Amino acid sequence: MKVVIGCDHAGLDLKKEIIDSLTKDQHEVIDCGTYTSESVDYPDIAEGLALKVLDEKILGILICGTGIGVAIAANKIPGIRAALCQNNYGARLAREHNDANILAIGSRITAAAMAIEIVNTFLNTGFQAGRHLRRVEKINMLEKKCRERG
Ligand code: RB5
């Protein structure tokens, strides 16, 4: 599977571990930064990754210290459904119920081994549609209403 991953400076080490694991599992990984430990602003990283998710119609993984900042920023972009997950149950339901297209993880909250499990669950779970489709469509309608409100 092709997936895109990005992090701020706080998520750099965890990103490297996740990339290693994904590469071992034969996934094609696009790394959209950051690439050094120099401080960067997480909204910039979230923006670049979210646009890649939308353009390529692939799943994305975003990492910052808590996962909160990148999730908030990514969710400002229409079409993005970013879910901050701290366990496998949340990761599974984020895909099955919410059709989340970005997984957000906090490197200061979630240990690497757990984060890798969460990533695998997220990538290996599909959207269940059915009653959940109506709800996701309502999220899309919310975006449309806000755009029209100006
Ligand atoms: C950076 O120190 C930190 O604020 C950032 O990684 C993130 O946790 C923000 O939500």
Side-chain angles (χ1 to χ4, degrees):
M1 181 187 289
K2 191 182 199 180
V3 349
V4 57
I5 190 164
C7 67
D8 72 356
H9 52 285
L12 191 65
D13 292 342
L14 180 58
K15 184 182 72 173
K16 284 180 189 154
E17 297 210 43
I18 293 174
I19 291 176
D20 284 351
S21 162
L22 290 173
T23 309
K24 258 188 225 139
D25 290 344
Q26 315 294 326
H27 292 289
E28 183 186 339
V29 184
I30 304 167
D31 181 356
C32 67
T34 190
Y35 307 107
T36 72
S37 56
E38 194 180 322
S39 182
V40 290
D41 296 334
Y42 59 81
D44 298 332
I45 300 295
E47 180 184 0
L49 181 132
L51 296 179
K52 201 86 187 153
V53 163
L54 295 175
D55 289 348
E56 302 228 10
K57 296 183 175 47
I58 54 179
L59 295 177
I61 302 162
L62 269 173
I63 308 159
C64 68
T66 58
I68 296 170
V70 285
I72 291 174
N75 277 321
K76 297 293 176 195
I77 298 175
I80 290 300
R81 290 175 299 281
L84 170 58
C85 299
Q86 295 173 354
N87 54 50
N88 282 315
Y89 182 68
R92 181 166 65 79
L93 291 194
R95 292 286 304 127
E96 286 182 348
H97 290 197
N98 312 116
D99 199 15
N101 47 13
I102 292 180
L103 167 67
I105 305 183
S107 62
R108 294 173 182 158
I109 290 177
T110 306
M114 186 69 231
I116 288 168
E117 271 195 46
I118 290 170
V119 165
N120 289 336
T121 301
F122 189 81
L123 297 184
N124 293 321
T125 306
F127 180 44
Q128 270 181 353
R131 68 186 189 282
H132 304 298
L133 181 59
R134 183 181 69 246
R135 293 159 185 168
V136 170
E137 277 169 353
K138 285 194 177 185
I139 295 174
N140 296 337
M141 286 307 296
L142 276 176
E143 288 177 348
K144 192 166 174 276
K145 276 190 218 166
C146 289
R147 271 199 301 271
E148 285 166 2
R149 223 167 157 244

